[in-house]
Amino acid sequence: MNWDTVYTNASQWVKEAGERIRASFQETLTIRTKSNPNDLVTDIDQEIEQFFISKIRGQYPEHKILGEEGYGDEFEQLDGIVWMIDPIDGTMNFIHQQRNFAISIGVYENGVGQMGIIYDVVHDELYHAIRGNGAYFNDKRILPLKERNVKESIIALNATWVMENHRINHELLIPLARAARGTRSYGSAALEIVYVATGRVDAYISLRLSPWDFAAGAILVEELGGVITNLRGERLDYLSKDSFFAARPGLHQEILTDYLKNGKW
Ligand code: 2AM
Ligand code: CA
């Protein structure tokens, strides 16, 4: 597969989808809920996913597609070439703020990330990586990640995980939040992971993400020397929901050893 060509095609589709999403700000959205009252989807999420699927199927009929809104394929193995698509990552922000959301597309070959794109639609900022060829912010090369310790780090972490919740003992992450220089939450996993890649934050933690949320960002972070695992320090399988932990090299190990060892994540 020529990944440069895949990138050229995908980046054109992403820009086209971005124009459509920006135009939708003038329209009335149809909003529905999914798994719970705060898990939202709009007609635009669905339209954009269908747009990408028709482009991919037209150009690459033999590839498989995993899409958040369910218009893609169903499969249980990552063999062959798989596109993982989140048409709007940060749908709540899209609805409430008309910013702080992104299109996320990661392409995997036999489970190995080959090309990732994250497009910050409102700022017209495109991040991408092709495995082995570096990562880019609007065609400007992103520098490899250097080590940094917790005390000098900003950790992206949602407040949900440090207040009582049904998923984890909320007290477990408080020492980490306290030790860090600061915490941030942006509400779009794809953007938060790309902020790790660009060094705007030093780590990002979530207790539950789906493959389409992190597929593209993981390729950028790893291309720059960062580390991606679940909160147990294990490799992600890219087929199921799991906890998620991205960080600079060194920092990843420090957080895992000093702050996450005792949790049942
Ligand atoms: P979404 O907007 O595409 O649904 C919000 O903190 C981040 O977590 C967003 O990237 C959001 O993606 C994702 N997210 C929200 N609810 C989720 C859920 N139930 N499962 C997996 N990811 C979720
Ligand atoms: Ca989404």
Side-chain angles (χ1 to χ4, degrees):
M1 191 55 25
N2 182 331
W3 297 107
D4 285 323
T5 311
V6 172
Y7 166 67
T8 303
N9 287 330
S11 59
Q12 275 167 10
W13 302 335
V14 160
K15 293 270 177 140
E16 208 178 309
E19 267 181 47
R20 170 69 188 105
I21 293 171
R22 287 189 295 268
S24 78
F25 293 157
Q26 315 304 324
E27 301 165 13
T28 307
L29 294 172
T30 307
I31 304 167
R32 282 178 291 272
T33 60
K34 295 195 282 187
S35 62
N36 67 63
N38 300 323
D39 187 7
L40 307 172
V41 62
T42 72
D43 46 341
I44 305 298
D45 298 66
Q46 294 169 330
E47 178 189 323
I48 298 297
E49 178 162 312
Q50 286 169 315
F51 165 80
F52 283 123
I53 288 174
S54 79
K55 292 288 185 190
I56 297 161
R57 290 208 173 122
Q59 193 78 37
Y60 304 109
E62 69 282 15
H63 294 184
K64 295 190 280 192
I65 305 169
L66 184 66
E68 170 163 26
E69 308 310 338
Y71 298 104
D73 304 305
E74 278 188 30
F75 47 90
E76 273 148 30
Q77 303 259 313
L78 277 186
D79 57 306
I81 296 180
V82 179
W83 293 64
M84 300 194 199
I85 301 175
D86 192 341
I88 298 182
D89 181 67
T91 299
M92 193 189 293
N93 289 345
F94 167 62
I95 295 167
H96 284 253
Q97 307 182 322
Q98 289 85 51
R99 64 187 62 209
N100 299 322
F101 65 89
I103 297 171
S104 175
I105 297 183
V107 190
Y108 283 69
E109 184 176 36
N110 300 320
V112 178
Q114 296 289 354
M115 198 283 301
I117 292 184
I118 291 174
Y119 183 50
D120 181 334
V121 172
V122 170
H123 296 111
D124 187 26
E125 290 173 341
L126 194 136
Y127 305 83
H128 86 275
I130 297 172
R131 197 169 76 89
N133 273 320
Y136 294 82
F137 170 40
N138 283 340
D139 296 327
K140 192 163 165 251
R141 197 157 182 149
I142 305 171
L143 295 176
L145 291 165
K146 295 195 177 120
E147 300 199 359
R148 184 172 294 171
N149 58 34
V150 169
K151 282 195 182 68
E152 292 169 343
S153 290
I154 299 179
I155 316 273
L157 176 71
N158 196 292
T160 317
W161 311 123
V162 285
M163 63 191 191
E164 234 173 303
N165 68 82
H166 66 276
R167 226 177 269 291
I168 57 158
N169 172 356
H170 71 285
E171 289 175 1
L172 289 169
L173 287 171
I174 292 175
L176 174 62
R178 194 174 278 136
R181 178 167 279 173
T183 57
R184 297 289 184 272
S185 179
Y186 298 94
S188 157
L191 286 180
E192 292 175 288
I193 299 164
V194 104
Y195 291 172
V196 174
T198 51
R200 294 171 193 156
V201 301
D202 302 290
Y204 168 62
I205 286 175
S206 173
L207 268 292
R208 197 159 163 85
L209 287 187
S210 298
W212 46 77
D213 295 319
F214 58 76
I219 299 171
L220 276 100
V221 169
E222 290 187 334
E223 185 63 20
L224 294 161
V227 186
I228 304 278
T229 61
N230 61 23
L231 286 179
R232 298 184 300 282
E234 302 161 347
R235 212 186 111 73
L236 295 160
D237 78 0
Y238 295 89
L239 275 172
S240 40
K241 289 189 187 209
D242 203 345
S243 59
F244 182 88
F245 174 33
R248 289 176 182 275
L251 181 65
H252 189 278
Q253 191 57 53
E254 183 188 356
I255 292 177
L256 213 50
T257 310
D258 294 352
Y259 298 93
L260 302 179
K261 266 285 152 64
N262 299 323
K264 291 191 180 64
W265 315 107

